[in-house]
Amino acid sequence: MKKFINIKDTKNALKDLEEFRSKRYSTIVKLKNVNLKRINEIIEFTLFRKNDLYVDSDTLFDLMQPKGGRGKHNYHNISPKLFLSAINDLAKPICVLDDGHDKYAIVLMTKYENRDPLLSVIETGCRLDNDLDANINKLVTMYPKEKINNYLSRVKPNKIIYLNKIELNKIK
């Protein structure tokens, strides 16, 4: 099983994601060319020190399974195509929130079923099982966030790192 996915190579990335969707593996996958450091430029703060993003294959499997079930995460029926689009949109967030404990919630422009924006949670400074000094960015989860405006209105202002109100207002 491949241990990395180049998200800019759409054809092969979709093929690899489909494989992770069809069978549960036990590995960590490196998502290359995510360009997370571009978020630093937008928020004018160094949040991400590396561009690549890692994700557990179990997490990938769970996110892409039909709604209603549950593994390590709830199943959200996020297709490989939607997942790839969301990962490519990380560098253009609508909102970045401090979720605590080196975790950051990122509201994306990518919408689930053309309605609700996807929300990704990324943990910075993570270790790998085989490299305790790795210091990686790890995708913890991704899911559609209903009623995003209501949700953001309840977030403490000091937890909002960045908010693009123009893009947020486009969400109905």
Side-chain angles (χ1 to χ4, degrees), residues 33-78:
N33 293 316
V34 178
N35 296 321
L36 283 175
K37 288 170 51 174
R38 285 191 184 160
I39 295 173
N40 297 340
E41 297 167 18
I42 293 168
I43 65 174
E44 298 176 350
F45 175 80
T46 301
L47 190 62
F48 298 104
R49 299 195 185 282
K50 297 180 180 183
N51 275 318
D52 295 327
L53 182 64
Y54 290 76
V55 60
D56 285 323
S57 57
D58 278 341
T59 301
L60 277 176
F61 179 84
D62 288 350
L63 298 178
M64 294 190 280
Q65 296 309 300
K67 281 186 202 177
R70 182 161 177 40
K72 181 178 175 183
H73 300 278
N74 291 328
Y75 294 173
H76 294 294
N77 198 31
I78 296 173

Side-chain angles (χ1 to χ4, degrees), residues 42-119:
I42 293 168
I43 65 174
E44 298 176 350
F45 175 80
T46 301
L47 190 62
F48 298 104
R49 299 195 185 282
K50 297 180 180 183
N51 275 318
D52 295 327
L53 182 64
Y54 290 76
V55 60
D56 285 323
S57 57
D58 278 341
T59 301
L60 277 176
F61 179 84
D62 288 350
L63 298 178
M64 294 190 280
Q65 296 309 300
K67 281 186 202 177
R70 182 161 177 40
K72 181 178 175 183
H73 300 278
N74 291 328
Y75 294 173
H76 294 294
N77 198 31
I78 296 173
S79 69
K81 186 176 179 181
L82 184 61
F83 180 83
L84 188 60
S85 178
I87 294 300
N88 276 303
D89 274 354
L90 277 170
K92 312 176 271 201
I94 291 176
C95 182
V96 179
L97 305 169
D98 183 345
D99 219 17
H101 305 291
D102 295 324
K103 291 182 184 172
Y104 301 92
I106 301 173
V107 179
L108 306 172
M109 289 187 201
T110 306
K111 293 183 182 154
Y112 181 78
E113 297 177 351
N114 295 320
R115 284 195 349 242
D116 301 318
L118 289 175
L119 185 140

Side-chain angles (χ1 to χ4, degrees), residues 133-146:
D133 296 322
N135 192 23
I136 63 165
N137 301 311
K138 185 175 179 184
L139 179 69
V140 176
T141 191
M142 179 186 290
Y143 57 92
K145 187 64 181 162
E146 294 179 353

